[in-house]
Amino acid sequence: MPGASQATSDDGGAAPAAHSPGQPLADAANAAAGTEAALAAPAPSPAPSGTAAEPVTATQRATSSQTATSPEAAGTGMPARDASGAAAAGPPEPASIPPLSAPDDAFVSPREPAQTEGAQPEPGSAPRALTPEALVPDSNAAQVGAVFNAINTYRASLGLPAVMYHAAVAGMAQEWSDSIASREVIEHRAGFWTDARALSPDNGAGEVIAVRWDRDAAQLVEWWKGSPAHHAILTDPRFSVVGIGITFTDGNWQTNPGRYTMWGVVNFFGYSGLPSGTATSPGGSTAVPVQPADVCEPLVKHMPPTLGLATAAIRSAGDLLSVDAAGQLINRPSLGNGLFGPAEVAGSGFAAAQAVFVTDWERDGIFDVLAQWADGRLTLHSGALAGGFLAPVTLGQSGWTGLTLTVGGWCSANRLPQLLVLDSGANLWLYPNRGTGDLVERTLIASGVAATRLAMVDFDGDGFQDLLARQGDGNVLLYRGSGTPWPRVEARAAVASGWGDVSAIRSLKDVTGAYSAGLALQRPGNSVQYLGLSGGALSAPSAVPGSWTGQRLAQ
């Protein structure tokens, strides 16, 4: 909880969390969502030489937007317990998915320093002053590697994708580990996802912290596994990149039990496209990668809030949107189990639209519509949280007729969606989204692209958006993205055939379950098919029920 201090006990049990003056202890122990109550492990009893002492940790908030985080004891060698002392149920239930952002004040504020074992402050006395703790400049490479490997081994055992490593994120985690170790304060860094070294995550963020009286780094992960709040961060399938900071100090549990030997911080981030410089293992430069400012770097970098979209026109990335003969937008909401709800009218006035595209153009958590018009205009129709769309904004005044478009997170240096546009000369252009209205800049990223339909999707599951180019003969070529403006230089694999009659391709998420991916295809005979996508392979198509007569699928 904000203002909570570390408490210790020498009776072998978990001590209750301290609380701010004027706040009942019950409130501290039953903190509302967005706060946390901390319990600390007892100081260790003398152990034989070579015996590892158990860790003391800061309780990481589980970042659930709906439920309160239950406090838990640190690793004492006993089951985690709640504030009443009752043993917590284990193993932990599957974690609820954290929101994409959280207010800064939802994270724990600085704590008072740990009390030395046996030292009791006089009644009414002020807390002791912070005394800098000496950092030991030994190499931490082995410990960083142990934490990284232990995290991925555990995720693999649960069928979760491995996290990657980024040196810039690691530099931020290491800085914070050094900071809290030198100050002897166990606290989380408020707003850590806004640091430039976080590389603008757009799919969640989390932080876990632990300290030990020895240098057995793998045991940090064991503690996180046993704590429901930390477990939620450790096993969140959205997280794709981590950075690890490990700091050694001059602590010794035998001679100075108030000072610990090793401090660890891990930052977890989720990205629609992996940032440039992402690696499969620790190591490399901690410098933030720089992209050319005139190509991809956005003028705004922020994360979408967690919003309830129950009243919005488009409620999820799996909804199927179409335009009927009268120009109405018709939405079929995804139910998350492979089925779609009844058709609903979501908007009107699109009869003259050449094509309609669904995206979160402003990255505000509400789905929007881009419309390509027969008169050459390109307009943005921002979704309203209460339903419908705001007045259109013109992104392009003329010249957009006849071009083939697709929209998505192509360039990883820009967290806003961008447009890939194919002209009549088979030239592929990137129009970066600056968040400022008119699309006036463009960069040629490929030529000789003979396609009549485009779709953007992470086809191979590597974290980067790829381009599907449907050719006139019905074959579909894959242009793999790498997070930079340009597709990979390689032979173009044919990933599908027989798509010559496909009039629209829509990339969808979460249709058959959380984090599922797939494509919706519109074919003649007023039919729409869904094809699941996993590991670079498409499933057999299944028909989406309902009447599609006179309707054009949004892309």
Side-chain angles (χ1 to χ4, degrees):
M1 54 172 262
S5 63
Q6 180 187 3
T8 61
S9 168
D10 58 3
D11 61 4
H19 59 288
S20 300
Q23 181 183 23
L25 182 60
D27 291 345
N30 298 283
T35 65
E36 65 180 29
L39 295 179
S45 302
S49 176
T51 301
E54 295 294 338
V56 168
T57 74
T59 303
Q60 164 63 32
R61 105 181 245 277
T63 58
S64 171
S65 61
Q66 300 295 329
T67 58
T69 298
S70 299
E72 60 268 341
T76 62
M78 302 180 296
R81 297 178 178 271
D82 63 20
S84 67
E93 294 295 325
S96 60
I97 301 304
L100 298 183
S101 67
D104 288 357
D105 61 5
F107 286 83
V108 69
S109 59
R111 304 172 188 260
E112 298 170 5
Q115 299 289 337
T116 301
E117 181 183 19
Q120 298 295 329
E122 294 295 330
S125 64
R128 70 178 177 88
L130 290 173
T131 56
E133 184 166 352
L135 306 186
V136 178
D138 292 349
S139 171
N140 64 1
Q143 283 76 12
V144 168
V147 170
F148 180 78
N149 291 335
I151 289 173
N152 275 333
T153 296
Y154 185 53
R155 287 173 67 95
S157 72
L158 301 176
L160 296 170
V163 291
M164 307 285 276
Y165 199 81
H166 202 290
V169 177
M172 180 176 66
Q174 186 63 54
E175 177 187 83
W176 191 243
S177 179
D178 291 346
S179 173
I180 60 176
S182 65
R183 295 182 289 121
E184 298 184 72
V185 178
I186 301 175
E187 62 172 326
H188 293 286
R189 181 179 182 181
F192 58 90
W193 58 84
T194 63
D195 189 292
R197 291 166 293 182
L199 307 174
S200 301
D202 62 353
N203 202 20
E207 180 177 82
V208 293
I209 297 173
V211 304
R212 284 188 67 84
W213 283 289
D214 61 21
R215 294 189 178 187
D216 188 351
Q219 291 303 311
L220 301 178
V221 180
E222 289 302 309
W223 191 91
W224 292 325
K225 286 163 58 176
S227 160
H230 296 71
H231 190 267
I233 304 295
L234 205 66
T235 60
D236 192 319
R238 297 173 309 163
F239 295 156
S240 53
V241 173
V242 299
I244 301 169
I246 297 291
T247 302
F248 303 129
T249 70
D250 62 352
N252 185 307
W253 67 269
Q254 292 175 313
T255 61
N256 192 355
R259 289 186 172 179
Y260 310 111
T261 302
M262 182 178 66
W263 299 61
V265 173
V266 183
N267 288 128
F268 293 77
F269 294 114
Y271 303 92
S272 295
L274 292 175
S276 175
T278 300
T280 56
S281 61
S285 170
T286 60
V288 178
V290 177
Q291 293 279 4
D294 61 343
V295 175
C296 283
E297 186 178 345
L299 296 180
V300 292
K301 294 182 179 181
H302 58 271
M303 296 171 64
T306 300
L307 296 173
L309 297 178
T311 58
I314 304 170
R315 299 195 284 274
S316 79
D319 287 10
L320 274 176
L321 191 73
S322 60
V323 183
D324 68 11
Q328 296 183 115
L329 293 180
I330 306 297
N331 189 46
R332 291 169 173 82
S334 172
L335 302 180
N337 57 359
L339 303 176
F340 296 88
E344 307 168 353
V345 177
S348 61
F350 291 85
Q354 176 180 322
V356 170
F357 304 86
V358 178
T359 184
D360 182 2
W361 185 254
E362 300 156 315
R363 203 50 104 173
D364 61 357
I366 309 172
F367 291 99
D368 313 310
V369 164
L370 294 183
Q372 180 186 14
W373 298 91
D375 62 6
R377 292 176 298 125
L378 183 70
T379 57
L380 167 66
H381 304 255
S382 298
L385 192 57
F389 298 90
L390 304 181
V393 174
T394 300
L395 300 180
Q397 294 285 351
S398 62
W400 292 86
T401 304
L403 299 176
T404 303
L405 280 59
T406 186
V407 61
W410 178 258
C411 189
S412 64
N414 190 336
R415 293 300 161 204
L416 300 171
Q418 304 96 48
L419 282 175
L420 294 185
V421 178
L422 186 64
D423 66 18
S424 59
N427 298 307
L428 186 64
W429 302 88
L430 168 66
Y431 284 77
N433 179 3
R434 304 298 194 190
T436 56
D438 288 357
L439 293 172
V440 295
E441 303 174 54
R442 68 176 187 173
T443 299
L444 180 66
I445 64 171
S447 57
V449 182
T452 54
R453 289 287 182 273
L454 298 177
M456 206 184 301
V457 64
D458 181 9
F459 191 87
D460 55 8
D462 66 351
F464 298 119
Q465 291 293 291
D466 306 312
L467 181 69
L468 297 181
R470 198 285 309 271
Q471 299 181 298
D473 60 4
N475 289 328
V476 181
L477 300 185
L478 176 64
Y479 288 73
R480 293 199 302 151
S482 60
T484 67
W486 300 275
R488 297 179 187 271
V489 179
E490 60 186 6
R492 308 300 173 196
V495 295
S497 60
W499 287 21
D501 60 350
V502 171
S503 57
I505 307 171
R506 169 79 188 282
S507 174
L508 298 173
K509 295 180 179 179
D510 305 330
V511 169
T512 57
Y515 314 107
S516 63
L519 298 172
L521 309 181
Q522 186 166 27
R523 293 183 179 272
N526 301 312
S527 68
V528 172
Q529 298 173 334
Y530 177 78
L531 293 78
L533 175 59
S534 178
L538 290 166
S539 69
S542 59
V544 178
S547 174
W548 295 91
T549 302
Q551 296 184 35
R552 295 171 290 146
L553 187 66
Q555 300 178 63

